[in-house]
């Protein structure tokens, strides 16, 4: 979920930038997670044939669509926490 949130906020992002934002995640776990998200149609991987090859990841439209709803839920949830 944190990978999707990061990509949602930042747009197309390179692997090392995602790793830096995730903190202590291992390369193996991040690569596996990105591959699974891509297979599930939640993340799009774009490879640019440059030297060196550049790869970027971004969320797909199926993830982008519910973002406004999730944002409103987060705002609502934060409001509940402040009232307690």
């Amino acid at each position: 979920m944190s990978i999707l949130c990061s990509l949602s906020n930042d747009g197309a992002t390179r692997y090392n930038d995602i790793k830096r934002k995730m903190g202590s995640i291992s390369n193996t776990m991040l690569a596996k997670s990105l591959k699974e998200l891509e297979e599930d149609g939640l993340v799009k991987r774009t490879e640019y044939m440059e030297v060196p090859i550049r790869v970027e990841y971004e969320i797909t439209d199926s993830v982008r669509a519910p973002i406004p709803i999730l944002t409103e839920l987060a705002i609502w949830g934060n409001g509940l926490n402040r009232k307690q």
Side-chain angles (χ1 to χ4, degrees), residues 2-3 10 12 14 19 39 53-54 57 61 63 65-67 70 78-79 81 83:
S2 57
I3 294 171
D10 300 337
R14 296 177 80 168
K19 178 143 176 40
E39 289 171 355
I53 292 177
R54 176 172 51 110
Y57 296 89
D61 290 339
V63 174
I67 294 290
L70 296 173
N78 287 334
N81 287 338
K83 291 178 183 177

Side-chain angles (χ1 to χ4, degrees), residues 5-73:
C5 288
S6 176
L7 292 175
S8 157
N9 292 332
D10 300 337
T13 309
R14 296 177 80 168
Y15 180 90
N16 284 333
D17 295 329
I18 297 169
K19 178 143 176 40
R20 210 176 348 269
K21 289 185 187 224
M22 295 298 107
S24 62
I25 191 169
S26 69
N27 280 322
T28 304
M29 192 64 208
L30 179 57
K32 180 180 180 218
S33 297
L34 286 168
K35 184 175 180 177
E36 289 174 357
L37 290 168
E38 184 182 8
E39 289 171 355
D40 292 340
L42 302 175
V43 168
K44 177 183 168 192
R45 180 183 188 270
T46 306
E47 193 172 299
Y48 298 92
M49 293 304 170
E50 302 171 348
V51 177
I53 292 177
R54 176 172 51 110
V55 177
E56 292 181 342
Y57 296 89
E58 61 185 313
I59 60 172
T60 60
D61 290 339
S62 63
V63 174
R64 196 171 282 114
I67 294 290
I69 297 166
L70 296 173
T71 300
E72 289 299 317
L73 283 171

